[in-house]
Amino acid sequence: MAFTVEDGTGLEDANAFVGVTDFVSYWAERGLDLSDLDGELVQAAIVKATDYMELRFALKWKGIKLSIDQGIGWPRKYVYNREGAVVASDSVPKKVKAACYEYAKRALDAALLPDPVDNPNIISKTETIGPISTSITYAGGVSATKLQAYPSADMLLVDFIVEAAGSYR
């Protein structure tokens, strides 16, 4: 699949919220020169960041997609920010793009969604070989692994996701 940046029309083949040039500019404005990075490496990091955002927030984005066939979750219609202002439905919001830049930078160095080595919620585990028996105790009775939080990126999205009161994850 080719690297395709969403242009605000709900492209079916879009797989990126942002482009490479804008990614480099975003970080240059913050004092980090990433202009020497290989373009394909940056594209891959942007696609990984977009994938991460889609996996983590797809069911939490406010509003609805412009088209059921669009490749990624933005642009959307019927979205209002905290102040009640309508968010333009013909683009990807600036803060959603900023979050993608933040996640993509992290994706250059490490996996955003690494496979769990061990479930951190396991308190105790007992295995018996003769007449086979296994017992696992989870913290709070929960067996799911919580997704990694990236506060500097996550907080950029508070206007665009529906969450339980008092939470941004």
Side-chain angles (χ1 to χ4, degrees), residues 47 94 160:
V47 170
K94 183 177 179 179
F160 308 107

Side-chain angles (χ1 to χ4, degrees), residues 38-112:
D38 177 79
E40 289 183 12
L41 181 68
V42 175
Q43 284 181 357
I46 290 169
V47 170
K48 289 175 185 177
T50 302
D51 287 348
Y52 173 81
M53 293 170 73
E54 289 294 294
L55 288 169
R56 184 162 176 208
F57 301 111
L59 298 176
K60 297 178 181 184
W61 294 129
K62 290 181 179 177
I64 61 172
K65 290 180 177 183
L66 292 183
S67 163
I68 195 160
D69 295 323
Q70 71 189 57
I72 55 180
W74 288 89
R76 302 178 78 76
K77 53 188 174 182
Y78 312 121
V79 178
Y80 300 86
N81 67 16
R82 283 179 286 186
E83 288 78 34
V86 176
V87 175
S89 63
D90 62 351
S91 63
V92 176
K94 183 177 179 179
K95 286 185 177 180
V96 171
K97 289 181 178 184
C100 191
Y101 301 135
E102 294 281 340
Y103 293 126
K105 167 81 172 51
R106 285 152 181 79
L108 288 169
D109 299 323
L112 295 172

